[in-house]
Amino acid sequence: MALRKDPVCGGEIMRYGHFERVEIRLRTLSPVFIGSGENLTKKEYIFENESGTIHVPDLARFTAFLSKRGLIAAFEEFVTHPRKNDLRAFLSEHKVGKKDYHSFVRYSVDAGEAAASEGFRGLLLFVKGPDGYPYIPGSSLKGAIRTAIAARLVQEGNYERNVADIDRAIDDFRGSRRYLSYQTGALERKLFCRLNYTDPRNPNRLRWDNLVNDFMRGIQISDSSPIGFENLTVCGKYDRKPDGFVNLLPIFRECLAPGTETVFSMTMDMPVLAKVGIDIEFIKDALHSFTDMQYQHFDRYFASLLEDADTAAKEGVDIVIGGGAGYATKTIMYPLVRPHQRALRMVGRMMTKQFSRHQHEKDTTLFKVSPHMLKTTMYKGKYYQMGKCEVIFG
């Protein structure tokens, strides 16, 4: 094993033969949501509105507690009753108070803006690891890096044929979504399947677009270190129109609060990446460029508000991860299609066909941006764009 210094980051990069391992520190600049697929109703969590706290029970311990108190039958009646939906009220009715919560509560979380919302009913949970603690999957970070690299690559090449194919696929969207998926997949393979490996024993056996030739296999990112429950908060969904009007939707998510820090390990297969000219500096530059492109093509069309928080990276490189962050953070249509007006028309047509009730037919003429909603949330009285983070390599 050998060590070398990163000339920009100053951190140590470990080398194991042809592999290099780099520590990545991630700091959330705004609330981040990565869903587990679980959605708790008011029958499944305890909401203390006076303290602004939500308690999430451990099912096994809660069942044992109810059994010990002789409340199983009463709880079954509560769960099946159509007009009873407040777990705290049920517990209070049966003389179970806050002093008993330690017996069955798995963790507690700050209710955030949900504490004052009359529309707070369900809670979408953040993903947890086998140890029960929140974490960020390495696939979430790698996916964001992959998108940024794709955006950088399309800026360097000519993909007009692919753009034309995607344009035709949008027109055929209602008839065959598979056709649009096929065309976007063809572009992705063209961007990433560049290693040109073949099977010497059977040259026709291994196609150029096989995953073996995807250079992103040369980048592996671990899951993050476990994150403490004290870093969780509950955030609502605030959709902002270009004129600054904010629409609060009754969707509430467990999110990582701004300022949460965690660590990943990134392992790079250097000979694989060298074949296509990818290294840490390329990745950083791609992330910087993608942030700039997102602002230029999307963010700048939305009015700023006095309550907007400062979410600029102070130490590392900007990146957006997680759910609820919006179309422009997850796709490369705007970097791919030039000029901007052509991209706007294509995205607007696609949005109109996919979401016919949301007035996307006005995106090009009235809103001047598509889709015409900026995905924000609120934390401690400030508006934040969802998912913004900074990463520090090394």
Side-chain angles (χ1 to χ4, degrees), residues 201-214:
R201 294 168 297 181
N202 187 352
N204 296 321
R205 180 182 177 186
L206 186 62
R207 286 171 50 92
W208 69 271
D209 57 354
N210 189 283
L211 288 177
V212 170
N213 282 312
D214 188 332

Side-chain angles (χ1 to χ4, degrees), residues 27-324:
R27 180 183 300 116
T28 61
L29 303 173
S30 66
V32 171
F33 173 69
I34 300 175
S36 67
E38 301 170 272
N39 184 9
L40 298 187
T41 68
K42 289 189 71 174
K43 293 187 177 188
E44 298 171 286
Y45 60 80
I46 305 165
F47 180 31
E48 286 186 343
N49 53 0
E50 65 273 14
S51 66
T53 306
I54 295 170
H55 305 285
V56 180
D58 178 277
L59 184 58
R61 288 164 56 202
F62 188 43
T63 303
F65 176 87
L66 294 174
S67 178
K68 185 177 180 180
R69 290 288 185 96
L71 295 174
I72 293 293
F75 184 68
E76 289 177 349
E77 192 276 332
F78 161 74
V79 169
T80 57
H81 199 291
R83 291 190 297 275
K84 294 182 178 180
N85 63 357
D86 190 331
L87 180 56
R88 187 185 184 192
F90 165 81
L91 295 174
S92 179
E93 178 185 346
H94 292 88
K95 313 302 181 188
V96 179
K98 189 173 181 179
K99 66 181 186 303
D100 301 305
Y101 290 175
H102 72 278
S103 300
F104 55 83
V105 166
R106 180 180 167 201
Y107 66 91
S108 302
V109 59
D110 169 32
E113 300 299 320
S117 175
E118 295 181 358
F120 179 43
R121 297 290 184 272
L123 179 61
L124 299 171
L125 297 188
F126 198 91
V127 66
K128 315 290 192 310
D131 58 1
Y133 284 94
Y135 77 105
I136 299 175
S139 57
S140 294
L141 182 55
K142 183 175 178 179
I145 290 173
R146 184 183 180 95
T147 300
I149 290 175
R152 171 64 184 275
L153 292 176
V154 299
Q155 292 267 297
E156 297 177 349
N158 181 5
Y159 294 91
E160 177 55 37
R161 179 175 176 180
N162 296 93
V163 171
D165 288 341
I166 292 172
D167 202 10
R168 285 192 295 272
I170 292 172
D171 286 333
D172 193 38
F173 186 81
R174 285 195 185 281
S176 175
R177 293 191 184 190
R178 287 185 180 180
Y179 183 49
L180 178 58
S181 177
Y182 172 79
Q183 294 300 342
T184 54
L187 172 62
E188 182 177 21
R189 291 188 295 273
K190 190 172 182 179
L191 288 171
F192 290 104
C193 295
R194 298 184 170 197
L195 296 180
N196 298 320
Y197 289 129
T198 60
D199 185 343
R201 294 168 297 181
N202 187 352
N204 296 321
R205 180 182 177 186
L206 186 62
R207 286 171 50 92
W208 69 271
D209 57 354
N210 189 283
L211 288 177
V212 170
N213 282 312
D214 188 332
F215 68 77
M216 286 299 293
R217 70 183 181 85
I219 300 175
Q220 301 296 324
I221 301 179
S222 71
D223 294 336
S224 78
S225 55
I227 300 168
F229 290 116
E230 68 276 7
N231 293 292
L232 288 179
T233 188
V234 176
C235 294
K237 178 176 168 60
Y238 292 73
D239 283 354
R240 182 184 304 184
K241 288 188 175 182
D243 62 4
F245 176 80
V246 176
N247 184 28
L248 172 59
L249 301 176
I251 297 173
F252 293 88
R253 306 168 171 128
E254 263 187 354
C255 296
L256 297 180
T260 301
E261 296 193 14
T262 190
V263 177
F264 301 79
S265 176
M266 179 171 73
T267 302
M268 299 181 295
D269 189 328
M270 301 311 294
V272 167
L273 297 178
K275 288 175 70 73
V276 289
I278 304 292
D279 57 15
I280 285 185
E281 296 311 310
F282 185 97
I283 293 171
K284 291 181 195 173
D285 188 61
L287 290 170
H288 276 303
S289 298
F290 190 59
T291 299
D292 292 342
M293 285 185 278
Q294 184 183 338
Y295 175 79
Q296 182 67 26
H297 293 292
F298 190 77
D299 292 356
R300 71 187 182 96
Y301 292 94
F302 294 87
S304 298
L305 303 180
L306 292 176
E307 300 86 356
D308 285 345
D310 178 11
T311 56
K314 301 298 191 297
E315 184 181 354
V317 185
D318 292 288
I319 193 170
V320 176
I321 64 171

